[in-house]
Amino acid sequence: MISNLRAIFSIFLTTMTVLTFCTPLSAQSGGQPPLIVTDTLSETDFAGHLTAYRDTARDMTIAQAIATADAGEFARIDGHAPNFGYTKDVIWLRFDLANHATDTDEWRLQFRENFFQLFEVYQVAQSKEIRLLESLDANSPFSARDVPYPELVAGLDLPPGQQTTIYVRYWSGGSSEVSMSLHSRDGFTSFATWRTAKNFIYYGAMLFLSAAAIIAWIIARQFVFAAYACNILSGLLFIMHGDGNAFQYLWPNAPGFNGFASILLGAALILSASNFARHFLQTFTYHPIMERMLLSVIVLAFAMLASATVLDHQIIKKYLVLFATFSISLVAASGFVAARTRFREVRFYILAWTGALVSSSVMTMRHWFGWEISEDVQFDSMRIVLVLDAGFMGLAILDRINQMKQHRETALAQSLHQAQRNLDLSNRLQELERDYSLAVRLAQTRERHIADTIHDLRQPLAALQMNVRGLVTGGDDSGPKVGQVEDAFAYLEGLIGQELSAHRYETANQTAPAPPVTQETDMGQMLPRLHQMFVAEAEDKGLSLRYVPSTARLPLPPLDAMRLTSNLLANAIKYTQSGRVLFGLRHDQGALRLEVHDTGPGMAMDTFTAATQRGVQLDKANGQNGNGLGLSIVRELAQKYGAELGQLPRPNGGSSIFVRFPRK
C-alpha cells in the first residue's frame, strides 16, 4: 500500500513538473524541414527544426531512437531551446542539417552547457550510417572531450550538397534546458577566441577588485573588506563554473565535484552576500530584525548544503535558484531599510544590489517560469551586474569610510561644544546651589513660611541636579532634552531669585511690604518645566511620568503654583513603586482642577485627612524618608487662595489628589 502511494505521489510530482516547467511539445511530429547551414547558426535559428522524445525508462538506444522517430513519436518543440524542467527523463533531440549554401566540410555543434551527467551526439547519414560524435557521462574528466572547450561541443562532417540527421541524448543533474549553435570550424575558432577573451577580461576585473579588497582589509583592519572580497570571489567562481572554465582549469579531473559545484558555489554566493550585507549595513547594531532575517538566510544556506548529502541534487539545484533570488531580495531590502536613516552611507550599496536582484530575477524567470531567455543573455547579465556590483560596493565601502571620517570630525566638534555646555551648566548649577544655600540660611532666621519654601524648592532642585549630572556624564546635546533643561533652569532660577529678592527686601525694610508679584500663573509654561524637573527621578524608579498640556492660568503666583504642584508630584513619585504618574488641569463646572494621579498604594479617606496635618509622615515602615510637610503645605496654600484640596475615589488602587480653584 505504501509503495503504491509513493508511486502515485511520484507520478503526480512528475506531471506537475512537466506542466509547470516544460516547453510545450506540439501535437504534430516528424516531417521537420532540414536546417540549411551557413557559416554560423545561432540558437534562434533552430526554432521550428527541433523534435524531442522523453525516455522515461532511460535505456533507449540510438537504433530505438531512430525507429521511434520514423514512427512519428518525436514531437516538435515550440521555441528555440528545449526545456523540460528539472526532470529525471533522458531527453532525445532530433534535427536535420543540409549543407546547400557553403563549401565547408567541418562543423562544430556547440551546446550552451558546461557539463551533463549524460551526453551523447549521433550523426545519421542519409545512407543510415550511424556515427557517434561525442559520448560523455558523469565520470568523464575534461580531457575526455574531443573538442577541448569549456562548453560541450561535438565536431561533425557535412560536405557541401549533403544532408544529415543529428540525434542528441542527454540528461542534466539540474535543468534540462539547453540551447545550441552551429559554427564552421574556422568560425568556431574565432568565436571561441572572442568568448575566451571576454571571459578572462571579466575574470581579471573581478580578481583585481578582490585583490584590492584584501589589501584594504590588511591595511585598514576592517572586516567589511574581507566580506566584500569573499562576495566577489564567490561570484567569480560561480560564473567560471557556469562558463565551464572552472571544470577546464580548476578541477578538470573531478567531474563528480563539477556536478555538485553549482550547489556549493550558489550557496557560497548567498552566504557571502548575506554576510557582506550584515557587516556593511551593521544590521547587528542598527536593524535587529533584518539581522535575524539575514542570519536565517545564512543558516538555510548551510542547511541546503548539508541536505545535498542525503537529497537528490537536482531538487536542491531547482530550489537553490529560487532561494538565491529571495536572499538577494532580502539583501537589497536591507539596504532600503537602512536608507531610511542613512541614505548617504548606503546609496551605492542600493544601486549594486538592485542590479543583482534584476539579474537573479532573470535566472528565476528562466528556470522556474520557462521564459525563453538564452544562457548567453543570462550569464552576460550576471557578468555585467557582478562587475558593476563589485565596483559599486567598493565605492559604497569607500563612501562609508569617508562618511565615518566626517562623522568623527562632527563628533569631535560636538564633543568640544558639549564640554563647553557642560562647564556652563556646572557653573550655573553652582550658582543655583549657592542661592539655595542662601535661602537655607535665610530660612533659619525666618518664620515657618520660609521653611516651607525651602522644602518646596529642594525637590525640583534635586531633580534638576539629576538631569544635569546625566547630561554632563554622557548626554547628547542634539536632542530636545538640553533645551528643556535650559528652560527649567531659567524658570527655577527666576522663581528662586524672585523669592530671595522679596526676602532681602523685607530684611532690609523690616516694616515695608515686598513688591507685589504676579497673581496668575501660565500653566502652559509651568507644566512642561515641572515634567522636566521630575522626569529623571521618575525614570530612575522605573516610573512613567506624563502630563496633559494646558493653556489655563491658575489664580495664584508662579512660585506658589510650583510649590503646590511639586509637592503633589514629589509625594506621588515617592510612594509609587511601579506604574506611572499623570498630572494636569481639568475644567470642572466653571472651576479649574489641578490633578495628580498615581498607581501607588493609595490612601483611605481618614488616612488622607491625617496626612494633610503638619508633621504627619506616612509609611515609615516602608523606609520612606520625609518630614511630613508635603500635603500640609498643599493644604495651607489651597486655603490661602480659596481652593479645595481633596481626593478622588480610585476603586482599582492608586491615588488621585486634586486642588480645585473656583472661578472669580
Side-chain angles (χ1 to χ4, degrees), residues 52 115 172 197 209 247-248 319 366 401 445 556 636:
F115 185 79
S172 169
L209 290 172
F247 188 29
Q248 181 177 6
Y319 286 97
R366 179 171 177 263
I401 291 175
T445 60
L556 71 168
E636 293 171 2

Side-chain angles (χ1 to χ4, degrees), residues 456 459-460 463-464 467 529-539 545 565-567 569-570 573:
D456 296 342
Q459 186 64 32
L464 270 178
N467 278 317
R529 291 183 172 94
L530 284 166
H531 177 269
Q532 182 59 39
M533 289 178 190
F534 286 93
V535 68
E537 181 182 357
E539 291 178 350
L545 179 64
T565 310
S566 63
N567 271 292
L569 285 175
I573 294 172

Side-chain angles (χ1 to χ4, degrees), residues 516-580:
V517 296
T518 304
Q519 295 302 310
E520 282 191 343
T521 298
D522 183 358
M523 297 303 289
Q525 297 182 12
M526 179 168 287
L527 289 176
R529 291 183 172 94
L530 284 166
H531 177 269
Q532 182 59 39
M533 289 178 190
F534 286 93
V535 68
E537 181 182 357
E539 291 178 350
D540 191 54
K541 290 187 66 175
L543 302 178
S544 169
L545 179 64
R546 296 175 52 205
Y547 71 94
V548 179
S550 174
T551 58
R553 303 178 70 87
L554 283 182
L556 71 168
L559 181 61
D560 286 344
M562 187 196 72
R563 293 173 61 200
L564 188 149
T565 310
S566 63
N567 271 292
L568 292 176
L569 285 175
N571 275 358
I573 294 172
K574 178 179 180 181
Y575 292 103
T576 301
Q577 301 305 316
S578 63
R580 64 176 185 167

Side-chain angles (χ1 to χ4, degrees), residues 392-406:
F392 276 132
M393 286 189 286
L395 289 174
I397 294 174
L398 295 176
D399 190 46
R400 199 187 78 171
I401 291 175
N402 183 54
Q403 294 292 328
M404 290 172 61
K405 180 180 178 182
Q406 293 180 6

Side-chain angles (χ1 to χ4, degrees), residues 587-640:
H587 292 277
D588 179 19
Q589 299 180 353
L592 279 176
R593 198 163 70 194
L594 174 66
E595 296 180 1
V596 177
H597 306 270
D598 63 60
T599 57
M603 290 184 289
M605 188 53 67
D606 56 346
T607 304
F608 172 75
T609 302
T612 60
Q613 303 304 310
R614 192 171 190 85
V616 176
Q617 181 186 2
L618 302 178
D619 289 340
K620 293 182 179 180
N622 294 332
Q624 301 293 346
N625 298 319
N627 49 25
L629 296 179
L631 282 179
S632 66
I633 292 174
V634 174
R635 178 180 58 81
E636 293 171 2
L637 286 172
Q639 291 175 348
K640 177 179 178 180

Side-chain angles (χ1 to χ4, degrees), residues 488-517:
F489 258 121
Y491 197 73
L492 189 57
E493 286 168 343
L495 292 180
I496 293 179
Q498 182 184 69
E499 184 69 11
L500 291 177
S501 296
H503 292 315
R504 291 190 184 105
Y505 185 91
E506 291 181 6
T507 301
N509 304 274
Q510 296 295 326
T511 58
V517 296

